[in-house]
Amino acid sequence: MSAGDETENETKQTDHINEIVLSDDVQLAIEHVLKSSDPLDQPDFNPTDYINQLFPNEQSLSNIDEVIAKMECDISLIDDNIRSVVRGQVNTGENGRVALREAQQSLTQLFALITDIKNRAEKTEDAVKEITRDIKQLDSAKNNLTYAITTLNHLHMLVGGVENLKQLSERRQYGEVLNPLQAIMEVNQHFQQYSEISQIQTLSAQVQQIQSELATQITDDVKHYFSPTSHNSTNRMTITQLKDACQVASVLDKPVKKNILKWYINLQLQEYVQLFHENQDIAWLDKIDKRYAWVKRHLLEFEEKFGTVFPSDWELSERITVEFCTITRDELTKIMARRRTEIDVKLLLFAIQKTANFEQLLDKRFNGTTLVEATSEEVRKERNSFNNLIGSCFKAYLDIYTDSIDRELAALIEQFAQQNQQMVVPKEINPGVIPNCADLFVFYKKCMVQCMQLSNEKPMYDLVLIFKKYLREYANKVLEARIPKPQQPNTTTSSISSSMSLLTKDFQNLSTAAGQVIHNFLKEGEAPRFSVDDLRKICYILATAEYCLETVQQLEDKLKEKIDSSYHAKVDLADEKDVYHRIISNCIQLLVQDLDAGCEQSLLLMTKIAWHSISNVGDQSGFVNQIVTNLRQTVPVIRDNLANSRKYYTQFCHKFVNSFIPKYINTLYRLRPTSSGTSGATTSSTLTASASSSSISDGPSAGAAPGTAASGGNILGCEQLLLDTHSLKTVLMDLPSIGSQVQRKPPASYQKVVVKGMAKAEMIIKVVMQPVHPAPLYIEQYLKLLPESNVVEFHKVLEMKNVRKIEQQQLVEGYKRACPQHQQSHNSAGSGSGENGSYVPSASDGATGSSHQSQQMAAAAAAISGAGSSIMALGDSLMDKGRIRKIENLIKNRLPN
């Protein structure tokens, strides 16, 4: 290391040692005191930055002398301040020592003062104690004297009161006994703390003896007063004495009052027990109201005679009533157990209703304060309420009620089923729901309210199980049993001559005429359809099932609200709701199948048109018109009859397009819309082959280059298909509002399904219109137009283009190489492709039919092929190039952008 480096390091160390580092708190305190904005006072002062700030450029160095002079002046000023401060601190130490001595002297003086004050306080306290010593003694003597006088007064009262009580009780002067007795009992209680004194023991024993004698005497007097043989007795108490005796009994021990009450209540109900004994006819349930009439009458008589005699806090009327209820409950329990077979639901409900009314009356009349003294556990649960005080005895027999409800509902469902055999849908556009459906739920509500009055525990749960059973019965016997079955349409057979006359009516479009002929021949093979009345009936049943579904949910909520909490989790009507969901789904599926069946013949007609031989593109084809006609005839009927079930109508539209569009696409795959432009004879033979669904020609005509049939042939059939597909797409988009004066925008989800499905159909047709050569370009176009396709669909498109088998294999290999990420497998195709990769129509494509229908199709195809050549030639002569261009422009305008 060089000497220069060592010098530099020493300088850095020196700077570091001289640097003063202050804590954040000290720095904040300094800033708070100084409040300086001078950069020299800042904690992060940097000399280099400060100098650069003073002399930012070379020109600023011209006044360096002035800056230095100013700095020297500041330094001199700071030095002066420092010297002043240092000089001022010279005498600080001496001043501090002087101040400390003064403080110590002050503390010594203060301590002396405090000691003096403490001594004086002690002397003062001793003087006060001396002064108040006599006063405390006098105060204690006063308290003792007062307590002694009070005790002597109590003793005098006790001694004198015992003698007085003996005399008053012997003379039965109960009105005069009451107050002294209360006072003596309180005084005697006071002297219990002196029980070790013999005199006090003697007096206390005398008081106890007087109480016991009074209790026995009053009890005997009360019994004697109410004894039937004492009316003419001279020793019988007066009504006033009886009232005073009851007041004395209230003061005595509780067992006295309790024994009197028990004896008197039994006396009052003795007549009732004998009159309504279980062996008496009047004791049976059909005369249960006579029991309640008896107690009402008896209580009125008692309150009229003795209502003011007995103390009000005895609640004697309520006690009599509670005992009456207890006896009645026990008696009814015994008699019903003995005669259970005689109880029917009508008698049971009569008894329960009369009992419930009586208990409600008791709740209004009494406050229920004595119910807590009842020994029955059930009564304690219903504290302060007479509810079920008697009615609890009927709970064991409520299965009679639920069995009756079961039988009534079974009869009601059978009645509904018989009514439904002649079910007629109301003629109005929106018929609503089947009336007996509302009747069923009204009956349910009535049963639920009635059962709530009886019990909300197990009987209510049994009722829930019955409700579940007959909800399923109603769905099965009333709704599902009346769902119509499709009817075979009336068959009309047209002769060959009439069919040929139909052909001659329209020479300009062979496809339309041929389609009408084939349609006439195929009418016998049409799928069964529903009539308009059947469609309305299905909608009627669907709307009813929807009403049932909503009402069942409300019923479940209400049952859970009313039933006892221990059964709350068991109330579950999910299975029943699933039944009505299934009925709704079944009705929607039947409506979709019917509408589908109406379109199948049109799709079959679509396959019988010689698309590769079309010579001009006009308006939409006949099969489209048939589909539109079918939709216009069927959909408005369904929409009008589901006006209050919009969500299920929308669901119907969803399911129909989800069913129809795949069928339409499968039908497209069966068509051969391209042609190589062969002669009329070839066209005729091709038409015959197409009509009979025979094999497709293996390649283009002789002398043509490979792919000429696809690239240079007739593609007017594809253009016509595009036009028809666009027309169908438009119709399907408007399907929810078809035939309606009020146009509503269909739901976005519905639009998405239609747009996606029909867009695929349009893309298939556009792919068929593309030339297959060069192959890479064709495959690229195919992947752009149909990115979600697979090998099976690619095979079908090549079949539509009439590509030869050898070329198909080459194109398929190229397709597989172009999209290896797709899981392309012939095994996944199922019935969609044959062994050689060619498309084989499956049952889902609608290709299967009866043998009779096949014979009619062959006959129609033969008739068409015989006249095909002449018709085609005549059609070509009638069409001109301007007409063709006009039609092409029409197609372009109608196609989506």
Side-chain angles (χ1 to χ4, degrees):
M1 181 180 296
S2 63
D5 294 337
E6 293 179 356
T7 304
E8 184 178 355
N9 290 336
E10 291 177 357
T11 304
K12 290 182 178 179
Q13 292 175 0
T14 303
D15 293 340
H16 179 71
I17 293 172
N18 294 333
E19 182 181 357
I20 299 175
V21 180
L22 302 177
S23 64
D24 294 339
D25 294 338
V26 174
Q27 189 63 45
L28 288 174
I30 293 173
E31 292 178 357
H32 181 70
V33 174
L34 295 179
K35 296 181 181 180
S36 174
S37 59
D38 192 343
L40 295 173
D41 295 330
Q42 301 302 317
D44 56 349
F45 173 73
N46 190 327
T48 304
D49 294 340
Y50 184 69
I51 293 172
N52 291 333
Q53 184 179 0
L54 292 176
F55 306 105
N57 47 47
E58 294 181 1
Q59 288 77 11
S60 60
L61 294 175
S62 58
N63 60 345
I64 188 172
D65 295 333
E66 298 177 0
V67 173
I68 291 174
K70 183 177 180 301
M71 296 294 290
E72 290 177 348
C73 181
D74 292 340
I75 291 171
S76 300
L77 183 59
I78 292 172
D79 289 340
D80 293 340
N81 291 336
I82 291 173
R83 282 192 294 270
S84 300
V85 172
V86 171
R87 291 169 182 170
Q89 294 298 321
V90 172
N91 298 326
T92 301
E94 183 63 26
N95 294 337
R97 285 189 292 273
V98 172
L100 179 60
R101 285 195 299 271
E102 292 176 355
Q104 289 174 346
Q105 292 175 0
S106 299
L107 287 174
T108 302
Q109 294 174 0
L110 179 62
F111 181 76
L113 290 174
I114 293 173
T115 302
D116 183 56
I117 293 172
K118 180 180 179 182
N119 293 332
R120 291 181 181 181
E122 290 175 353
K123 292 178 180 179
T124 304
E125 183 178 2
D126 293 338
V128 171
K129 286 181 179 180
E130 186 67 24
I131 295 171
T132 60
R133 181 179 294 113
D134 296 337
I135 297 175
K136 287 182 178 180
Q137 290 177 357
L138 291 173
D139 186 59
S140 177
K142 176 186 175 183
N143 290 336
N144 293 334
L145 182 60
T146 302
Y147 186 76
I149 293 172
T150 304
T151 303
L152 288 173
N153 287 334
H154 287 169
L155 183 61
H156 176 73
M157 186 186 302
L158 183 62
V159 173
V162 168
E163 296 297 330
N164 189 28
L165 278 178
K166 287 180 179 180
Q167 297 175 5
L168 292 175
S169 61
E170 289 175 357
R171 293 195 298 268
R172 286 179 168 76
Q173 295 177 346
Y174 298 122
E176 299 177 9
V177 166
L178 181 61
N179 292 331
L181 177 62
Q182 288 177 321
I184 288 175
M185 291 176 65
E186 291 179 2
V187 170
N188 185 43
Q189 186 67 28
H190 172 73
F191 279 108
Q192 291 302 313
Q193 57 183 325
Y194 306 111
S195 58
E196 67 276 3
I197 301 174
S198 59
Q199 291 82 355
I200 298 299
Q201 290 180 355
T202 302
L203 290 173
S204 180
Q206 291 177 357
V207 171
Q208 294 292 337
Q209 183 180 0
I210 292 173
Q211 289 180 347
S212 177
E213 291 174 355
L214 276 174
T216 303
Q217 182 176 310
I218 290 174
T219 302
D220 293 339
D221 288 347
V222 171
K223 289 181 179 180
H224 181 71
Y225 182 87
F226 289 103
S227 175
T229 60
S230 65
H231 291 295
N232 298 323
S233 176
T234 57
N235 295 327
R236 187 170 182 259
M237 291 189 302
T238 63
I239 193 71
T240 304
Q241 286 179 315
L242 176 63
K243 184 176 181 180
D244 294 337
C246 291
Q247 294 287 349
V248 173
S250 297
V251 175
L252 294 174
D253 293 338
K254 289 185 179 180
V256 179
K257 170 185 170 182
K258 184 177 181 181
N259 292 334
I260 293 175
L261 287 173
K262 183 178 180 180
W263 175 85
Y264 184 74
I265 291 171
N266 290 334
L267 178 66
Q268 294 296 310
L269 296 176
Q270 185 176 2
E271 177 188 351
Y272 170 74
V273 172
Q274 295 175 357
L275 183 63
F276 291 91
H277 190 268
E278 60 179 317
N279 295 327
Q280 302 295 326
D281 292 338
I282 198 175
W284 188 228
L285 297 180
D286 58 344
K287 298 180 179 63
I288 195 171
D289 52 335
K290 295 185 180 298
R291 293 175 179 266
Y292 307 137
W294 181 91
V295 74
K296 292 177 190 176
R297 184 174 62 253
H298 188 77
L299 286 175
L300 288 175
E301 293 175 357
F302 164 75
E303 290 178 354
E304 182 179 353
K305 290 181 179 180
F306 304 107
T308 59
V309 173
F310 294 96
S312 59
D313 61 332
W314 282 23
E315 299 286 353
L316 193 55
S317 295
E318 182 176 326
R319 292 179 186 277
I320 294 173
T321 305
V322 171
E323 184 65 20
F324 166 82
C325 293
T326 303
I327 294 173
T328 303
R329 182 180 67 249
D330 296 340
E331 291 296 319
L332 289 177
T333 301
K334 290 191 293 185
I335 195 172
M336 285 192 296
R338 186 164 59 87
R339 302 173 62 177
R340 182 184 178 94
T341 56
E342 302 178 32
I343 303 175
D344 58 18
V345 66
K346 184 176 180 181
L347 180 62
L348 180 65
L349 291 179
F350 169 78
I352 291 175
Q353 186 62 47
K354 291 295 183 181
T355 302
N357 293 340
F358 177 68
E359 289 172 345
Q360 291 176 4
L361 179 64
L362 296 182
D363 274 330
K364 295 177 181 178
R365 171 63 180 82
F366 302 112
N367 55 22
T369 54
T370 64
L371 287 173
V372 71
E373 300 177 14
T375 58
S376 173
E377 189 66 26
E378 293 183 357
V379 175
R380 289 180 181 177
K381 291 181 180 178
E382 299 292 339
R383 180 178 177 180
N384 297 333
S385 173
F386 285 85
N387 184 31
N388 281 331
L389 186 57
I390 302 175
S392 59
C393 67
F394 298 113
K395 288 185 178 180
Y397 303 91
L398 289 179
D399 58 326
I400 299 174
Y401 167 74
T402 54
D403 292 343
S404 171
I405 296 299
D406 194 343
R407 293 191 296 272
E408 288 185 36
L409 278 173
L412 191 63
I413 295 298
E414 289 299 326
Q415 177 185 345
F416 291 165
Q418 292 176 4
Q419 292 175 354
N420 250 29
Q421 292 178 359
Q422 296 85 27
M423 184 178 70
V424 178
V425 183
K427 294 183 179 180
E428 56 265 22
I429 293 180
N430 185 17
V433 299
I434 301 175
N436 56 33
C437 173
D439 296 339
L440 176 66
F441 286 105
V442 168
F443 185 81
Y444 272 20
K445 180 180 179 181
K446 175 184 174 183
C447 294
M448 185 172 63
V449 172
Q450 196 173 49
C451 190
M452 270 298 301
Q453 297 174 351
L454 306 179
S455 172
N456 68 336
E457 297 177 354
K458 188 177 184 302
M460 178 69 82
Y461 180 65
D462 294 338
L463 190 66
V464 171
L465 298 180
I466 294 173
F467 284 175
K468 289 166 64 69
K469 174 183 175 182
Y470 289 101
L471 284 173
R472 294 191 294 269
E473 289 284 320
Y474 183 83
N476 182 30
K477 294 183 178 180
V478 180
L479 297 184
E480 288 184 328
R482 302 312 304 161
I483 295 178
K485 304 295 187 295
Q487 300 177 0
Q488 190 71 29
N490 296 328
T491 58
T492 58
T493 306
S494 301
S495 63
I496 298 295
S497 58
S498 62
S499 300
M500 292 306 299
S501 64
L502 180 62
L503 281 174
T504 59
K505 290 182 180 179
D506 189 0
F507 290 99
Q508 295 186 359
N509 198 326
L510 175 62
S511 62
T512 303
Q516 294 294 333
V517 173
I518 294 173
H519 176 66
N520 289 337
F521 276 103
L522 295 181
K523 272 191 177 179
E524 252 184 65
E526 285 184 0
R529 294 291 306 277
F530 290 117
S531 64
V532 174
D533 289 339
D534 287 341
L535 292 176
R536 298 184 73 241
K537 188 177 291 185
I538 293 173
C539 295
Y540 198 33
I541 293 172
L542 189 153
T544 304
E546 181 189 12
Y547 171 79
C548 291
L549 183 62
E550 295 174 352
T551 312
V552 167
Q553 181 60 54
Q554 297 173 6
L555 176 66
E556 181 180 12
D557 297 339
K558 203 67 177 178
L559 287 171
K560 287 183 177 180
E561 176 187 339
K562 298 297 184 182
I563 202 167
D564 187 75
S565 58
S566 59
Y567 292 93
H568 188 276
K570 297 181 181 180
V571 178
D572 184 10
L573 303 183
D575 294 339
E576 288 65 38
K577 288 184 281 188
D578 290 342
V579 169
Y580 290 102
H581 271 300
R582 188 183 68 244
I583 292 176
I584 292 172
S585 299
N586 188 23
C587 290
I588 293 174
Q589 190 61 35
L590 288 175
L591 296 174
V592 171
Q593 290 175 359
D594 179 77
L595 195 57
D596 258 346
C599 298
E600 283 181 0
Q601 292 299 318
S602 302
L603 295 179
L604 188 60
L605 174 61
M606 179 181 173
T607 64
K608 308 308 173 186
I609 299 175
W611 294 97
H612 61 280
S613 301
I614 290 179
S615 58
N616 66 302
V617 179
D619 205 349
Q620 60 192 27
S621 301
F623 80 91
V624 178
N625 293 330
Q626 290 181 11
I627 292 174
V628 174
T629 301
N630 175 46
L631 298 179
R632 289 186 179 276
Q633 290 175 350
T634 306
V635 174
V637 176
I638 298 172
R639 182 181 60 244
D640 293 342
N641 285 272
L642 293 180
N644 292 337
S645 304
R646 292 294 303 178
K647 64 176 180 179
Y648 293 116
Y649 173 68
T650 303
Q651 194 177 122
F652 156 76
C653 295
H654 268 279
K655 288 191 174 183
F656 171 70
V657 295
N658 279 321
S659 173
F660 173 78
I661 293 176
K663 288 183 178 180
Y664 180 73
I665 292 175
N666 286 334
T667 305
L668 284 180
Y669 284 135
R670 299 170 57 196
L671 305 182
R672 305 295 179 263
T674 60
S675 171
S676 58
T678 55
S679 62
T682 305
T683 303
S684 177
S685 62
T686 305
L687 175 61
T688 305
S690 176
S692 59
S693 298
S694 61
S695 61
I696 307 301
S697 176
D698 287 339
S701 60
T708 302
S711 60
N714 183 13
I715 61 171
L716 292 178
C718 292
E719 295 178 354
Q720 181 64 45
L721 279 174
L722 272 176
L723 179 63
D724 294 338
T725 302
H726 178 72
S727 299
L728 277 178
K729 178 181 177 182
T730 304
V731 171
L732 293 178
M733 287 293 288
D734 297 335
L735 178 67
S737 300
I738 192 170
S740 174
Q741 296 179 353
V742 180
Q743 295 296 319
R744 293 183 178 180
K745 186 177 180 181
S749 57
Y750 175 82
Q751 294 181 8
K752 183 178 179 180
V753 172
V754 174
V755 170
K756 183 177 180 180
M758 297 307 290
K760 181 177 180 180
E762 292 175 344
M763 294 303 104
I764 290 171
I765 299 171
K766 290 182 179 181
V767 167
V768 174
M769 295 173 66
Q770 299 292 326
V772 296
H773 297 287
L777 181 60
Y778 178 74
I779 293 173
E780 180 182 356
Q781 288 296 110
Y782 183 91
L783 292 174
K784 287 181 179 179
L785 296 177
L786 295 171
E788 298 179 359
S789 183
N790 54 33
V791 170
V792 177
E793 292 183 346
F794 189 67
H795 266 294
K796 295 176 182 180
V797 170
L798 295 180
E799 290 288 343
M800 291 179 67
K801 292 180 65 62
N802 285 329
V803 178
R804 291 183 302 176
K805 304 301 181 185
I806 297 176
E807 294 182 4
Q808 285 187 26
Q809 295 297 332
Q810 296 174 354
L811 288 168
V812 168
E813 292 300 328
Y815 176 80
K816 289 180 178 179
R817 289 192 299 270
C819 54
Q821 69 276 14
H822 291 280
Q823 300 297 326
Q824 306 293 352
S825 173
H826 288 284
N827 294 332
S828 66
S831 61
S833 61
E835 294 179 359
N836 58 354
S838 61
Y839 172 65
V840 179
S842 61
S844 62
D845 297 335
T848 57
S850 64
S851 59
H852 180 65
Q853 180 177 340
S854 300
Q855 294 174 1
Q856 288 182 331
M857 290 164 53
I864 296 170
S865 63
S869 179
S870 58
I871 294 173
M872 203 64 178
L874 180 58
D876 289 341
S877 64
L878 293 175
M879 299 299 294
D880 60 313
K881 294 181 179 179
R883 175 68 171 168
I884 293 173
R885 285 194 297 270
K886 186 175 180 181
I887 294 174
E888 289 176 350
N889 292 332
L890 175 64
I891 296 172
K892 292 178 181 178
N893 291 333
R894 296 194 61 175
L895 289 177
N897 294 328

